[in-house]
Amino acid sequence: MKNDLDELQRVAQAAAANASRVDLYAGIHKGLRALMADTLLAVGRMDCDDALELAQTTQRVMELLDFCRSHLAHENEFIHPALEARAPGASGVIAHEHEEHERDIRLLGELVTALLQCAPEDRARAAATLYGRLSLFVSHNYEHMYIEETAHNAVLWARYTDAELIDIHNALLASIPPHEMMFAVRWMVPWINPAQRAAMLGDMQAHAPAPAFEAALGLVRPHLREQEWTKLMKSLGLPVERGPLEGC
């Protein structure tokens, strides 16, 4: 991806001026960055001669790839049509990169399969190849997400009201199956800031079934520092000492 850094800086400044607007990208992209970094680090430190560690780590890579594939589909189905409806051509560059990312996802899946099937004496080399290609995938995605958060948001904010953006967001969320939603919650909630965390869990508290809300709290509790958990409980109007699976 080649971008004019001066132009990106101007777009980023414009985006900062709209910091209070509804942002369709902020939360999920923080979660994706955390998931990508965590998975890459796991592959880098993997003992590929340990059968259990090899199986667990490659499974994490496949989970990342599945989640990335779904994320691309959600943006293609909901956000890109919104861009094109009011700014024809606005999603063209990123849509092309989505096609490249889909090819990268397939390649990485093939590299995982090759690692699992190769002879023991070839595992170190296969693991190094997977690590290198995964690092490129992560770096490309980090830059890609920045463009979406700046250039795409600038288009959306100029042409849609916050109420309309919320409608797009709600339609996207409604399309996500429960198991994928819980995976997203696990990676998003610990890595967004306290205000974003309170807003996301507060919305779940108000609108999701109680068991789903309880499950979300239980899922994220081990990944929050005590101070973060305390802030979250207070923002939700729940007792600070409350365990994650106790009744409200």
Side-chain angles (χ1 to χ4, degrees), residues 55-112:
Q56 290 174 335
T57 305
T58 51
Q59 178 62 31
R60 289 171 64 179
V61 176
M62 296 306 294
E63 289 175 347
L64 167 64
L65 298 180
D66 287 342
F67 193 68
C68 288
R69 188 180 293 109
S70 292
H71 177 68
L72 292 175
H74 297 322
E75 289 189 344
N76 289 343
E77 183 176 355
F78 292 96
I79 300 182
H80 289 192
L83 288 163
E84 292 300 317
R86 298 187 184 179
S91 69
V93 172
I94 291 298
H96 175 68
E97 291 179 2
H98 278 192
E99 295 174 359
E100 293 178 344
H101 290 170
E102 289 169 356
R103 290 194 292 270
D104 291 340
I105 288 169
R106 289 194 294 271
L107 171 61
L108 288 165
E110 291 168 0
L111 291 177
V112 168

Side-chain angles (χ1 to χ4, degrees), residues 182 185 201 204 211-221:
M182 294 305 288
V185 166
L201 270 298
M204 287 193 68
F213 174 65
E214 292 294 329
L217 288 181
L219 190 63
V220 303
R221 175 66 182 97

Side-chain angles (χ1 to χ4, degrees), residues 6 15 40 69 111 140 161 176-177 197 204 222 248:
D6 291 336
L40 178 62
R69 188 180 293 109
L111 291 177
H140 292 164
T161 66
I176 300 176
R197 194 177 294 131
M204 287 193 68
C248 294

Side-chain angles (χ1 to χ4, degrees), residues 81 116 153 223:
L116 290 172
N153 266 336
H223 306 289

